[in-house]
Amino acid sequence: MAAELGPRAMFVAGGTDLFPKLKRRQFEVDSLIGLDFLPRAIRNRSDECVIDAGVTLAHASHDPHLNERFSGYAQAAGHVSSPPLRNAGTIGGNLCVDTRCNYYDMTYEWRKAAGFCLKKDGDICLVAPSSPRCWAVSSSDTAPMAIALDGLVTLVGASGERELPVTALYRDDGDRYMAKQPDEVVTCLRLRRSLNTRSAYVKLRRRGSIDFPIAGAAVAVELDGDRVESCRIVLSAVASYPLEAKAAEEFLKGRRLQEDVIREAAEIASKPAKPLDNADLSHFWRKRMVRVVVEQALARVSDQQPGLDG
Amino acid sequence: MRVVGKPLPKVDAAAKVTGRALYADDIALPRTLHCKILRSPHPHARILSIDTAAAKRIPGVLAVITGLDLPIKFGILPVTQDERALEHEKVRYVGDPIAAVAATEEEIAAAACDAIEVEYEVLEPVMSIEAALQTPKDERIQDYGGPNNVHKLVALEFGDVEGGFSRADHVREDVFFFQGNTHLPMEQHSAIATYVDGKVTLWSSTQVVHYVHRALSKVLELPMHRIRVIGAAHGGGFGGKTDPFAHEIIVSKLAMITGRPVKCTLTREEVFYAHRGRHPVLMWVRTGVTRDGRITAMHFRSALDGGAYGSYGVASTFYTGALQTVTYDIPAYRFEGCRVFTNKPPCGPKRGHGTPQPRFALELHLEKIAHDIGLDPVELKRRNFVQPNTRTVNWLRVTSCGLEECTDRVINASRFHDRERRPGHGMGFAISSYLSGAGTAIYWNDMPHSEVQIKVDRGGVTAYCGAMEIGQGSDSVLATIVAEELGLQPSDIRLVTADTDTTPIDLGSYSSRVTFMAGNAALEAARKMRALLVEAVEASGRRIDDVTFEEASMLAEARFGTLTTAGSYTPPKIAGPYKGSGVGPSPAYSYSACVVDVDADARTGLIRVNKVWIAHDVGRAINPLLVEGQVEGSVYMGLGEALMEEQAFRKGLHKWPSMLEYKSPTFLDMPEIETFIVETIDPEGPYGAKEAGQGPLLPVPPAVCAAVHDALGVWIDEIPVTPEKVVEAVRRKEKGEPARYGPQRFPPIPYPPTIKVEPPPKDAAITAI
Ligand SMILES: Cc1cc2nc3c(=O)[nH]c(=O)nc-3n(C[C@H](O)[C@H](O)[C@H](O)COP(=O)(O)OP(=O)(O)OC[C@H]3O[C@@H](n4cnc5c(N)ncnc54)[C@H](O)[C@@H]3O)c2cc1C
Ligand code: SF4
C-alpha cells in the first residue's frame, strides 16, 4: 500500500512525532497509513530479546526483563519526552523519529518568515549556509542504545522482509536521515548481548521531562573479570545520525573501568561530536557536555552510579 | 471570624478542574465564523500594498479586513495610543497584525491569509538597546519619543545625592542585565464577538474588561453602552492579558461586518507575539555606604528594551526606579530611566511589573557591598530595612511592614547562618516588596477603582463586581468577604463578575489590586447589607443571632423592599508632589524574604535548586490556601526566570515561539518550597489583607544568584543563569580574571536634566495628603 501511494503517504504509529509536524506543515501528506495492526509484544529468549515495533515506550521502560538485561535500553525509553507521550509513542516510531533543528521545528508561518530551508520547501541550510547538506540532529533516545546493544531491526516492505543492524538504518544526512526504503515498515527490534553485558544511557536535557536530548551517551560493555572485553559507545544528538565513538571503544578494550581510564575514554569519545547552533543552549557548551555524559554512562556501567538524569 | 482565615477550596475549583468552566474558546454559538490574522514576516518594513482580492474569492471566506477598516489607534496608556488592530502603513515586529479573515472554517481562514499579497519595503531592524540608542540606518520605529529610538526618558533626584556619596566610606558600582521573558499562560488568548441589534458583545480571555471596553468604543467608534465586554473563564494571564489586544477589536469588527459570531483563538506562536512580557533591562547602580553598612546615597539607572510599541512602557520605566526605597531606607536617591523601541513584540507588565529587574540588581549589588566591607549580607540589608509607618525619600507611604519577621522566618528555618559548607553548595538570601494595587488608575479620573453591589432576595445573595477572576482567586475572596459579613459560607454567595453590562466597575486584575480594592468595596457593601438585616430583625423584636439568614432577609425585604447595597473603594491620595509620582504609590506594600539552597557544578555549570524558604507578609491571609498557592506560583515563575526563560531573537525573529523550545520549568524541576505566611494586619486592607500574587516572585532571582556565588565564588550578573554562563564565569575565575559573567558597561544615554524633588519632611503625615 505504501509503495502504491508513494511519497505523499506516511506511516503513523503513536503519532507523537508525526501529528505535531503535520500541524506545522513540516510534513504534507495525502494519506496516513496506520500501523495499529503491528504486534505489541516483548519476547524474551535466553540470549536475546525481541521487541515489536508497536510496543510503547512506557511498556518498554517498565518491562522487568528489559530492565534487568538491557537496562540501558529501558532507561533510554523511559527518558523519552514525558509520560503521556511515552504512553502513545512506540519504539518503532522512536527509531524513525525525524531529525531536529530549531530552524525547522517551527510553524509554517515562522519558517516562511525566516526563509525556508532545504529540509523543507527551501534550498539552503540556515545553520551552515555554505554547506550543501542539512545538519539536522538525530534526536532519538533509543536508537543509540539499540546500536550499542548490537540491535537488529526487521523491515518489511513491498520487496519482502530483511533484517539489518540498527546502524544501517541511518545516513549522515539531516534531511534524508533514514537509509531504509520509504515503503518499508520496521516490525521489530532484536537486542542481543551476552549475560554479562552492562548498559547505561545518560541523557542531557534542560528540564527533567519533555525535552529531547541535547547530548546523550549510550554505553554497553562486556567485562571479562574487571577488564573491558568489548564495548560500544554511541552518542545521541550530536550529529545527523547516532554517532558511534569508535576510537574510544578501541581505547577501552582490555582496560579497567577506573576513574582515569573513564575520563580519557570520554575525552576521546567527545572528539568526533560536532554540535551546531541549531538546538537548545550553545553548541560550545553542548560539545563540552559530551565528555560529561560519556563519563557518567561509563561510570554507571562500572559501578552503577547515577548520571545527570538521576 | 468564621470563614476569613480558613483554608477553604476556591469557589470555582470544581468547574476549573473538571473542565466545565466556559473559556472563550469553548463558547460555540451557532453559525460562528473563524478568524485568522495575517502577521508580518519582517521585523521592520513599510507596507507598500496589500492585495486581498484572491483571499476574498476563496469559497467560505466571508470578510477580509485590513488597517483601512480599523485605522484608529489605541493603547493601554492615554499617553501612548500607538497601536492599530491592523497595520496598513508599517510593521514593527515579526508578528505585527496586517489583515484578518473571517471564514466558515479555520483552515479556510488560514488559506485565505496565505493568499493575501503584501508588498513591503524592508527596513533595517533595530534589535537591541545599544542599537536603539544609535542613529537609525533607515528610519525610526515610532514617530514619537526620541532621540533616535528612545521612547521615554526620566531623571529624578530625591534628597542630596552628592552629599550622600561624599559621606560614604565605601562606594560601589555594578552593571546588571535581566533578560526579557514571557508570561506563558496555559490558555492562549481567545475572543468571540457577536453583533446583535446594533450592539457588540465580546467574550474574551482578558484581565481588564473595563479597559478593553474603552478601547473597543474608541476604535469601533461606538458609544460604550452599545458594547458589552464579558470576561470568560480565564486560563491565566500574569499580566499578558492586561492590554486591549488586536484580536479583540478584530473579531468585534468582523462580527459587525458579517452579522455572525466571530471567534479568534491565538496559536501558541501568536501568544509569543502578543507578549507584553518582562522587559529586558540593563541596569547600573552606584551606592554609598558607611563603614557599618548604612546606605548614604544611591544612584540607579535603567535602560528598558520596550519592543515595538508603548503598551505600559512609560509606567514600566518608572517602576524600574520606584520601589528600591520601599525596602531600604535610602536617604538620598537618584533615578534615571530610559525605554527604547526595538523591532520585537512589545513588552509590558509581567508579574511584578518593572520591579523584578531592579530588585535583582539591587539585592545582588547590596550582597556585593556586604562582601566588600566584610559584613554578613543579611545583616547589611537588615541595618537598612525600612520602618513601618514612614515615608520614603521618594514620598512613598509605608504603613504595615513585616520585613523583619519575614527575614527571621526564612533565616531561621533554613539555618542560613550555619549552612553546610561543601564544594558546590550554597545558599542565597533576598527580600522584596510589592504594591497592593496601584494608587492611580490607568487614565486620570476621580472615580472609585472598584465597586461592588449586593442583592439579597428571600435568602439568596448575589454579589456583582467588575473584578476578573484570572485564577488568582478573586471570586473566592469576594465570596469569602461577603459570606463573612453575612454569616454565610463562600459557596452560598452567587457571583456575577466581569461583565460590563451587569457589574459595576472594577479596573481589572493587575497590580495586585483586587483583594485590596474589590475586597474593600465588598466589605462596605456587605456591612451595609448586614445593617439592613439587623435593623429589620430588631424591628421585629428579635436578635439577628436568633434568626436564620432566610428569615432575616425576608424580614428586611418586607420592610425595605428590594434589598441592594453598594460599596466602593478609592485609594487614598498619597502620591508625592512631583511629575511621575503616580507610579509607585499604593495603599499598602507586601513584603517577602526568601532563601534559596542550590548545588552548582563548576564543571558543567548545571544548577540544582534543592529548596526554597519563603516568607510573605500578606497583611492577613483571607484564605491561607490561596496565599500559599500564589506564593508557590510566584516562586515557580521566579525560578523559571532565574534559570531558563528567555525571550530570545535571532535574525529578527523570535527564536523559539513554542512551549517545547522556550524553556520553562516542569514539575520535576521544582524544588520543595516551605512557605511562611506573615500577618501584619494592614490598617487599610480588608481585614488587614495585602497582596500575594506578585511580590513573592521578586526575591527569587537574586537569591538564586547569591546562592550560586556562595557555591562557586562567581557572580552571575545576568538573568537567566544558564549553565554556559556559569562555566564561563568559572573559567574566568580560574584564569584570574574577574570572577563574573554579566554586561561590561552601561551605554551613554541622553538623560534629561534631573528634576530635583525635596524629600518629605521627617514627620510627614502617613495619612493622605
Ligand atoms: C514534546 C515532544 C517531546 C519529545 N521528546 C522526545 C525525546 O525526548 N526523545 C525522543 O527520542 N523523542 C521525543 N519525541 C518524539 C516522539 O515522541 C518519540 O520519538 C516517539 O517515540 C515517536 O513514536 P511514535 O510511535 O509516536 O511515532 P510517530 O509519530 O507515529 O512516527 C514517527 C516517524 O516514524 C515513522 N514510523 C513510525 N513507526 C514506524 C514503523 N514501525 N516503521 C516505519 N516507520 C515508522 C513515521 O512515519 C514518522 O515518520 C518528542 C515529541 C514531542 C512532541
Ligand atoms: S540543518 Fe539546515 S537544512 Fe537542516 S533543518 Fe536546519 S536549517 Fe534546515
Side-chain angles (χ1 to χ4, degrees):
Chain A
M1 183 169 164
E4 278 162 33
L5 290 169
R8 297 284 297 178
M10 280 182 90
F11 296 119
V12 57
T16 59
D17 186 46
L18 187 114
F19 292 139
K21 296 205 157 164
L22 287 177
K23 259 182 127 172
R24 295 191 293 252
R25 292 209 246 166
Q26 287 163 274
F27 298 152
E28 288 176 289
V29 295
D30 301 327
S31 335
L32 290 176
I33 304 170
L35 295 179
D36 264 5
F37 59 85
L38 291 179
R40 296 161 173 241
I42 299 178
R43 288 178 300 263
N44 292 299
R45 303 193 183 122
S46 59
D47 56 342
E48 61 176 26
C49 174
V50 180
I51 313 169
D52 288 331
V55 165
T56 64
L57 294 160
H59 181 182
S61 69
H62 294 137
D63 184 76
H65 193 79
L66 273 180
N67 270 290
E68 197 180 309
R69 283 182 54 204
F70 303 97
S71 57
Y73 187 81
Q75 285 160 17
H79 277 120
V80 172
S81 190
S82 60
L85 269 76
R86 289 198 294 274
N87 287 336
T90 63
I91 67 118
N94 196 254
L95 287 174
C96 303
V97 65
D98 197 4
T99 52
R100 288 178 55 81
C101 165
N102 62 19
Y103 283 91
Y104 162 71
D105 289 298
M106 291 288 163
T107 64
Y108 171 77
E109 288 78 12
W110 190 96
R111 286 183 289 120
K112 193 173 171 188
F116 294 113
C117 77
L118 60 78
K119 191 162 162 71
K120 182 76 179 97
D121 302 323
D123 46 23
I124 61 156
C125 170
L126 299 171
V127 182
S130 57
S131 152
R133 59 164 282 192
C134 165
W135 295 91
V137 183
S138 164
S139 301
S140 166
D141 281 308
T142 65
M145 202 64 238
I147 294 171
L149 289 164
D150 289 339
L152 296 170
V153 282
T154 303
L155 300 176
V156 178
S159 48
E161 181 176 316
R162 60 182 176 133
E163 187 177 56
L164 69 168
V166 176
T167 343
L169 267 183
Y170 306 105
R171 311 171 9 151
D172 184 11
D173 178 347
D175 182 16
R176 301 185 47 223
Y177 61 98
M178 296 294 294
K180 73 175 185 65
Q181 294 305 312
D183 69 359
E184 283 181 310
V185 177
V186 175
T187 57
C188 65
L189 168 69
R190 197 142 65 89
L191 300 178
R192 314 155 298 159
R193 287 293 277 209
S194 75
L195 276 173
N196 48 359
T197 303
R198 289 178 172 193
S199 60
Y201 182 68
V202 171
K203 171 175 179 174
L204 177 67
R205 56 176 159 185
R206 197 92 85 102
R207 299 173 288 184
S209 183
I210 302 178
D211 291 335
F212 279 91
I214 49 178
V219 169
V221 293
E222 247 159 281
L223 295 177
D224 178 9
D226 61 353
R227 285 175 194 275
V228 174
E229 189 179 314
S230 70
C231 95
R232 292 189 79 176
I233 302 174
V234 187
L235 307 176
S236 45
V238 293
S240 293
Y241 63 104
L243 184 67
E244 186 156 4
K246 291 226 162 77
E249 296 171 355
E250 274 308 311
F251 169 81
L252 277 176
K253 248 178 227 162
R255 290 179 202 254
R256 281 199 195 90
L257 281 179
Q258 58 206 32
E259 214 178 306
D260 54 333
V261 172
I262 288 180
R263 194 168 306 148
E264 200 170 337
E267 176 75 43
I268 300 170
S270 70
K271 286 257 160 58
K274 291 203 176 51
L276 292 176
D277 185 17
N278 58 355
D280 187 29
L281 291 167
S282 82
H283 47 302
F284 305 108
W285 185 78
R286 275 185 280 132
K287 164 93 186 169
R288 193 187 160 102
M289 290 303 290
V290 173
R291 221 179 327 155
V292 179
V293 287
V294 175
E295 255 177 47
Q296 294 190 343
L298 286 171
R300 202 185 283 176
V301 288
S302 71
D303 57 10
Q304 314 297 346
Q305 289 252 333
L308 279 172
D309 39 18
Chain B
M1 279 184 274
R2 295 157 50 109
V3 287
V4 165
K6 302 279 180 306
L8 299 172
K10 285 185 182 179
V11 292
D12 52 354
K16 293 265 167 76
V17 298
T18 57
R20 274 173 290 179
L22 213 56
Y23 296 87
D25 189 58
D26 293 330
I27 299 173
L29 300 170
R31 288 162 42 83
T32 296
L33 298 175
H34 298 273
C35 164
K36 280 274 173 200
I37 298 169
L38 174 70
R39 294 174 184 272
S40 170
H42 300 294
H44 197 189
R46 290 220 149 259
I47 296 175
L48 303 177
S49 68
I50 306 175
D51 183 356
T52 60
K56 283 181 172 150
R57 281 197 299 271
I58 295 178
V61 171
L62 276 92
V64 182
I65 56 172
T66 67
L68 290 172
D69 301 289
L70 289 167
I72 297 173
K73 291 191 172 182
F74 64 97
I76 183 70
L77 299 186
V79 291
T80 48
Q81 301 281 302
D82 61 359
E83 294 180 55
R84 283 199 178 107
L86 295 167
E87 258 304 336
H88 57 292
E89 292 175 342
K90 174 168 170 166
V91 285
R92 297 176 176 85
Y93 65 95
V94 173
D96 217 355
I98 297 170
V101 178
T104 50
E105 304 288 337
E106 213 172 328
E107 286 75 17
I108 297 177
C113 282
D114 225 14
I116 296 170
E117 292 282 344
V118 186
E119 229 188 312
Y120 300 95
E121 178 197 338
V122 173
L123 303 170
E124 180 76 17
V126 178
M127 299 304 291
S128 68
I129 294 170
E130 292 270 351
L133 293 167
Q134 310 297 317
T135 313
K137 284 221 179 63
D138 289 328
E139 60 178 51
R140 289 161 64 195
I141 297 167
Q142 292 284 358
D143 54 13
Y144 68 99
N148 302 323
N149 280 302
V150 167
H151 168 203
K152 176 78 187 170
L153 292 167
V154 244
L156 293 166
E157 181 173 332
F158 307 91
D160 179 10
V161 173
E162 275 315 304
F165 279 120
S166 58
R167 276 200 302 123
D169 298 312
H170 175 67
V171 175
R172 184 185 169 100
E173 285 179 24
D174 284 299
V175 188
F176 298 96
F177 181 63
F178 198 117
Q179 176 61 293
N181 52 56
T182 201
H183 317 83
L184 214 70
M186 287 314 279
E187 179 207 20
Q188 297 119 272
H189 305 53
S190 178
I192 173 167
T194 60
Y195 186 64
V196 179
D197 298 337
K199 289 182 184 152
V200 169
T201 302
L202 177 81
W203 289 260
S204 183
S205 173
T206 176
Q207 298 176 239
V208 285
V209 286
H210 176 58
Y211 296 140
V212 171
H213 196 195
R214 283 168 53 87
L216 283 181
S217 169
K218 181 183 180 194
V219 182
L220 300 175
E221 297 179 277
L222 285 178
M224 284 174 80
H225 66 265
R226 283 182 55 201
I227 301 170
R228 177 180 187 185
V229 180
I230 302 171
H234 204 280
F238 312 106
K241 297 171 181 168
T242 316
D243 287 57
F245 282 98
H247 67 279
E248 295 171 319
I249 297 167
I250 290 167
V251 291
S252 304
K253 182 72 184 181
L254 287 169
M256 289 171 72
I257 292 172
T258 61
R260 289 170 65 166
V262 180
K263 185 196 283 184
C264 180
T265 299
L266 301 191
T267 62
R268 179 55 60 180
E269 180 182 3
E270 290 179 299
V271 174
F272 279 93
Y273 299 148
H275 192 46
R276 320 289 155 147
R278 184 86 69 228
H279 284 76
V281 185
L282 190 59
M283 293 160 286
W284 173 90
V285 53
R286 180 165 189 254
T287 301
V289 291
T290 60
R291 206 160 290 114
D292 58 357
R294 287 300 309 256
I295 297 170
T296 60
M298 181 180 290
H299 184 178
F300 198 98
R301 285 184 175 144
S302 63
L304 293 78
D305 178 345
Y309 293 92
S311 181
Y312 280 81
V314 172
S316 318
T317 309
F318 279 105
Y319 272 129
T320 62
L323 301 191
Q324 280 83 335
T325 56
V326 176
T327 51
Y328 300 113
D329 177 13
I330 302 170
Y333 178 58
R334 183 165 170 195
F335 166 61
E336 291 168 304
C338 166
R339 183 180 193 258
V340 298
F341 291 120
T342 55
N343 291 111
K344 304 180 195 172
C347 298
K350 181 185 171 191
R351 210 170 194 171
H353 189 189
T355 71
Q357 303 97 323
R359 177 56 54 187
F360 158 71
L362 177 60
E363 293 295 310
L364 266 197
H365 175 65
L366 292 181
E367 184 93 13
K368 293 182 186 202
I369 289 177
H371 283 269
D372 289 350
I373 63 171
L375 206 62
D376 167 40
V378 181
E379 181 54 31
L380 176 125
K381 290 179 179 180
R382 233 191 192 130
R383 286 183 190 173
N384 291 287
F385 277 174
V386 79
Q387 295 305 308
N389 302 316
T390 51
R391 283 253 183 192
T392 68
V393 73
N394 55 340
W395 288 79
L396 302 180
R397 185 195 72 169
V398 174
T399 51
S400 62
C401 167
L403 258 185
E404 291 281 359
E405 191 181 342
C406 288
T407 301
D408 282 343
R409 290 288 189 94
V410 294
I411 292 295
N412 293 338
S414 64
R415 305 171 59 84
F416 184 85
H417 284 118
D418 40 18
R419 57 189 180 275
E420 190 191 347
R421 299 282 176 184
R422 64 181 145 83
H425 177 254
M427 280 193 186
F429 164 79
I431 59 153
S432 69
S433 173
Y434 198 67
L435 331 172
S436 300
T440 47
I442 297 286
Y443 64 101
W444 186 247
N445 72 80
D446 281 329
M447 292 173 281
H449 289 206
S450 194
E451 301 168 4
V452 169
Q453 289 167 333
I454 295 176
K455 178 193 75 162
V456 170
D457 51 7
R458 294 162 214 208
V461 183
T462 310
Y464 301 84
C465 180
M468 180 68 224
E469 165 69 56
I470 58 169
Q472 87 278 47
S474 90
D475 278 3
S476 300
V477 166
L478 285 174
T480 303
I481 291 175
V482 174
E484 179 69 45
E485 292 302 314
L486 299 184
L488 299 168
Q489 288 296 313
S491 52
D492 297 331
I493 313 299
R494 283 185 308 231
L495 293 169
V496 178
T497 55
D499 176 342
T500 60
D501 262 17
T502 58
T503 63
I505 298 282
D506 176 88
L507 294 181
S509 285
Y510 64 94
S511 82
S512 278
R513 51 177 297 292
V514 180
T515 292
F516 203 97
M517 301 199 185
N520 269 326
L523 195 58
E524 187 189 350
R527 285 184 174 158
K528 285 182 187 166
M529 182 57 74
R530 183 179 156 86
L532 291 180
L533 300 179
V534 169
E535 186 184 332
V537 171
E538 286 176 355
S540 75
R542 286 193 282 173
R543 289 182 25 221
I544 189 83
D545 294 338
D546 299 336
V547 299
T548 64
F549 182 77
E550 283 74 11
E551 287 169 318
S553 65
M554 284 190 272
L555 287 169
E557 198 174 330
R559 183 176 173 90
F560 301 112
T562 311
L563 291 175
T564 61
T565 55
S568 62
Y569 181 78
T570 311
K573 297 220 175 334
I574 47 174
Y578 61 94
K579 192 161 177 278
S581 70
V583 176
S586 172
Y589 297 93
S590 75
Y591 288 92
S592 321
C594 104
V595 169
V596 171
D597 179 297
V598 305
D599 272 300
D601 182 4
R603 181 174 179 215
T604 61
L606 292 170
I607 293 164
R608 194 177 69 223
V609 179
N610 301 313
K611 185 160 178 180
V612 175
W613 294 262
I614 183 150
H616 183 68
D617 162 20
V618 69
R620 149 114 58 200
I622 289 180
N623 182 332
L625 203 59
L626 298 195
V627 173
E628 268 176 43
Q630 288 300 311
V631 173
E632 286 179 12
S634 297
V635 170
Y636 161 81
M637 197 170 255
L639 285 175
E641 296 192 18
L643 295 169
M644 51 180 93
E645 299 197 26
E646 210 167 342
Q647 181 92 337
F649 293 81
R650 179 167 64 186
K651 300 182 186 170
L653 268 82
H654 192 296
K655 197 170 169 187
W656 35 51
S658 98
M659 274 185 120
L660 178 58
E661 310 299 331
Y662 175 94
K663 303 298 178 192
S664 181
T666 67
F667 281 126
L668 294 177
D669 307 297
M670 276 301 284
E672 183 192 343
I673 302 172
E674 197 170 331
T675 303
F676 304 93
I677 296 178
V678 169
E679 298 196 313
T680 48
I681 316 299
D682 185 78
E684 262 170 65
Y687 305 109
K690 302 192 284 189
E691 78 91 34
Q694 310 196 64
L697 179 149
L698 282 80
V700 176
V704 166
C705 289
V708 169
H709 180 263
D710 194 39
L712 299 177
V714 297
W715 294 111
I716 309 298
D717 293 339
E718 186 178 302
I719 291 295
V721 185
T722 56
E724 50 226 315
K725 293 178 189 172
V726 176
V727 165
E728 175 59 16
V730 169
R731 188 194 65 81
R732 289 176 190 170
K733 183 184 169 204
E734 282 165 0
K735 286 192 84 184
E737 296 168 20
R740 158 176 196 269
Y741 188 98
Q744 294 304 317
R745 58 187 277 274
F746 190 84
I749 289 177
Y751 293 114
T754 306
I755 298 171
K756 300 216 177 210
V757 183
E758 269 303 304
K762 269 276 166 258
D763 56 351
I766 58 150
T767 46
I769 44 176

